[in-house]
Amino acid sequence: MAAVHKILTDFYEDTFTLLAIHSSLEDYAMVYALNLCLKSNFRRTSKDLELYEEVTFPLFEWKDHKNDRFLTLFTNNGTKEEQSFKGNLFENEPSYTRFHVVPEYKEADYLLKIEHDDDLEGNFVKLLANIPKVVTVYAIEIENIKSRTNLIF
């Protein structure tokens, strides 16, 4: 009989900061505002993030060569259209199911992942809070997120 070994430690110890952004802006408008505010060059990736079946989340990336950082912006919310079952009162109407990259922070519209070696979250929070139509920005404690495997991409 073969022995079963379980690994209880988390080997993913990358240094990154995760910022939650609350805003009513569409993703293209948010990227445009970020590019103006941060003097960055976010571009949409050729492949979207797909965590659930038929649910994708658009990804925007920027490699900051000057400061040796890699930034990724993605929406936290995704929807999937499903057809109603027969016999339902609204059988001809589609229903929508919402999915989140980080379900613990469903209220956040966007997440900004900043891969770096130094502590700079305060600077980014101040800069992003000045963008019009951004309601609030705050850092998320990564240790408190149960779904942090969704952030590995």
Side-chain angles (χ1 to χ4, degrees), residues 127-145:
L127 287 171
L128 297 177
N130 291 328
I131 296 176
K133 296 207 177 180
V134 169
V135 178
T136 188
V137 179
Y138 53 90
I140 295 176
E141 293 294 326
I142 298 163
E143 295 81 29
N144 299 336
I145 298 175

Side-chain angles (χ1 to χ4, degrees), residues 35-79:
N35 285 339
L36 287 177
C37 175
L38 300 176
K39 298 182 181 28
S40 59
N41 193 15
F42 279 95
R43 299 277 183 211
R44 185 162 182 177
T45 60
S46 59
K47 267 187 104 173
D48 291 341
L49 176 64
E50 186 174 343
L51 295 177
Y52 308 100
E53 186 179 320
E54 298 178 21
V55 181
T56 59
F57 302 91
L59 287 174
F60 300 89
E61 296 178 338
W62 174 50
K63 173 68 175 150
D64 183 6
H65 296 286
K66 181 180 175 186
N67 298 310
D68 194 30
R69 283 179 247 167
F70 188 72
L71 292 88
T72 307
L73 177 78
F74 50 96
T75 60
N76 191 28
N77 304 316
T79 56

Side-chain angles (χ1 to χ4, degrees), residues 7 14 17-18 22 24 38 46 50 69 85 99 111 121 127 134 138-139 145 148:
I7 300 173
D14 200 7
T17 300
L18 190 64
H22 294 255
S24 61
L38 300 176
S46 59
E50 186 174 343
R69 283 179 247 167
F85 297 109
F99 293 93
L111 296 170
E121 70 184 48
L127 287 171
V134 169
Y138 53 90
I145 298 175
R148 56 180 168 246

Side-chain angles (χ1 to χ4, degrees), residues 78-140:
T79 56
K80 179 180 176 183
E81 183 178 331
E82 298 173 343
Q83 294 297 327
S84 301
F85 297 109
K86 289 193 173 199
N88 192 347
L89 182 60
F90 302 104
E91 68 181 61
N92 294 332
E93 295 294 321
S95 64
Y96 297 95
T97 306
R98 294 185 62 98
F99 293 93
H100 305 282
V101 177
V102 180
E104 294 88 355
Y105 291 91
K106 327 181 166 179
E107 305 84 25
D109 299 305
Y110 297 96
L111 296 170
L112 181 63
K113 180 181 175 185
I114 307 167
E115 297 177 28
H116 58 83
D117 290 330
D118 52 350
D119 184 31
L120 48 79
E121 70 184 48
N123 296 336
F124 275 97
V125 169
K126 289 176 188 174
L127 287 171
L128 297 177
N130 291 328
I131 296 176
K133 296 207 177 180
V134 169
V135 178
T136 188
V137 179
Y138 53 90
I140 295 176

